[in-house]
Amino acid sequence: MGTENADTVAPGTCPTANGMPMLGLGTWQNDDPEQCTESVRTALEMGYRHIDTAQIYDNEAAVGDGIARADVDREEVFLATKIWSSNLAPDDVLETARESIDRLGVDYVDLLYVHWPARAYEGEETLAAFSQLYDEGLIENVGISNFLPEQVADAVDSCDAPILANQVELHPMLPQPELRDACENAGVEVVAYSPIARGAVFDQPEIQDVAEKHGVSEAQVSLAWLREKGVIAIPKATGEEHLRDNWASLSLELDREDIEQIDSIDETNREVDPGFAPWN
C-alpha cells in the first residue's frame, strides 16, 4: 500500500539538512552479508543517498560492498558509522575508526558517531580523538548518539570539531521535544533511529487514521511527520518493497490537521532501553 509514488521521487531530490539527506537507510540487525549488501545496493539505485551502520552491527564490510556494487558514485553517498562504547578511549577511537573505514572500503566516512555516552566515553578525551580524525580528513563530520540535552551541550563545548548530529530513538510515541529543542539551540541536527517504533506505529489509531486518509502506509506517515519536525530518519529495511514504501514517504505532505492528530498521541513508548543508557 502506498508505494505507487516511489518512482516519482527522483534520486537526488531528497531534502537535506546541513548536507545530510533527510531519509536514509538504517542497517541495524541486517547482519546477513549478502542480504545487507543487496539492501544497500538496491537502496542506492532506488535513490537513497544516506547509509547508516555501526561497528556493533557487524556489517560494515557488507555495507561497503553494497556501496561498491551500486551504480552510484561514492561521493554522492552520505555514509555514517559509529564507534562502540567499549572503543571510546582515545587510542581505541583512532585505531577502530581506521578499522571501520578499512572494512567499509572507503577513504573516509561522512559522519562518525559516538554510539553511546557510556563505558569508555570520557567527554573531552574521547571527542579530542574524533577531532583528530576530522583534522586528518578521515571523517567529514563528528556525531553523537543517545545523548541527553545536557550532554549535547557539553559535547558541543568540548569538541574542537563541529558536531553535526545527535542520533536518538524518535517517533510519534517518543517525540522528545525537549531534546529536539536542545539540539536546535546547539546547532545540532537530530537523526531518528527506530522511526517507525519497530512497527508499533502500525497499531496506533491516530496514525492509522492519517494513513487511511492519504492512502499510504503508517510507516510513510511516521516518516513524513518526522520530516515535518525537521528530523532526519533512518528506517531499517531489507526487502525492496519496504525500501520502496519508505522512499515513497518523500511524496507525502501532511497537513496541519494530520500533524495535530499525530502530536496528540498520549503515549510514551521507548523501544531501545539498555541499562547503560544515560537516562537509566
Side-chain angles (χ1 to χ4, degrees):
M1 178 172 62
T3 61
E4 63 274 4
N5 293 325
D7 293 323
T8 68
V9 184
T13 59
C14 178
T16 60
N18 267 334
M20 302 179 72
M22 293 191 72
L23 180 64
L25 174 64
T27 62
W28 179 65
Q29 289 188 329
N30 195 352
D31 51 11
D32 176 271
E34 190 55 41
Q35 181 186 63
C36 182
T37 294
E38 186 62 15
S39 298
V40 171
R41 183 196 66 79
T42 301
L44 289 172
E45 294 188 350
M46 190 178 293
Y48 287 79
R49 293 294 182 266
H50 180 176
I51 307 294
D52 183 272
T53 183
Q55 291 176 343
I56 199 67
Y57 299 172
D58 197 29
N59 64 7
E60 287 174 320
V63 167
D65 287 344
I67 293 171
R69 291 187 195 179
D71 189 21
V72 175
D73 290 342
R74 160 67 184 103
E75 290 71 24
E76 294 183 28
V77 180
F78 188 96
L79 175 60
T81 192
K82 310 178 196 74
I83 303 284
W84 184 239
S85 50
S86 58
N87 295 333
L88 290 172
D91 288 345
D92 293 335
V93 169
L94 298 174
E95 179 181 356
T96 66
R98 289 180 170 88
E99 291 170 351
S100 287
I101 290 168
D102 286 345
R103 281 192 294 270
L104 287 160
V106 295
D107 297 325
Y108 67 95
V109 293
D110 298 86
L111 179 57
L112 185 69
Y113 290 99
V114 175
H115 204 152
W116 290 88
R119 295 174 176 156
Y121 178 72
E122 290 291 345
E124 289 186 8
E125 293 84 353
T126 296
L127 292 170
F130 276 70
S131 294
Q132 180 176 332
L133 293 165
Y134 173 83
D135 290 340
E136 292 176 5
L138 292 174
I139 68 175
E140 293 284 314
N141 297 282
V142 176
I144 52 179
S145 185
N146 299 297
F147 278 48
L148 298 174
E150 59 271 21
Q151 293 174 314
V152 173
D154 288 345
V156 169
D157 289 342
S158 299
C159 192
D160 290 337
I163 292 178
L164 178 62
N166 183 23
Q167 184 179 134
V168 296
E169 180 182 350
L170 209 156
H171 46 72
M173 286 83 80
L174 191 67
Q176 305 229 50
E178 297 85 2
L179 180 61
R180 286 190 279 121
D181 287 345
C183 288
E184 183 176 2
N185 291 336
V188 173
E189 299 295 337
V190 178
V191 178
Y193 69 76
S194 298
I196 59 173
R198 297 188 178 178
V201 298
F202 289 95
D203 301 320
Q204 196 69 36
E206 293 88 345
I207 296 175
Q208 290 173 337
D209 289 347
V210 175
E212 184 176 0
K213 169 183 168 181
H214 290 279
V216 300
S217 70
E218 289 81 1
Q220 286 191 45
V221 171
S222 187
L223 296 173
W225 174 84
L226 286 164
R227 192 171 68 252
E228 289 286 341
K229 300 293 185 184
V231 175
I232 297 153
I234 50 166
K236 69 170 189 172
T238 52
E240 182 174 354
E241 182 179 355
H242 286 151
L243 287 166
R244 196 169 295 281
D245 188 67
N246 291 342
W247 184 247
S249 69
L250 295 172
S251 303
L252 175 59
E253 295 291 337
L254 300 178
D255 60 33
R256 181 180 299 178
E257 181 182 317
D258 299 329
I259 298 295
E260 290 175 352
Q261 183 168 348
I262 297 166
D263 287 346
S264 74
I265 294 172
D266 186 21
E267 179 179 334
T268 299
N269 183 11
R270 187 182 287 278
E271 299 287 343
V272 179
D273 194 20
F276 58 78
W279 50 83
N280 285 331

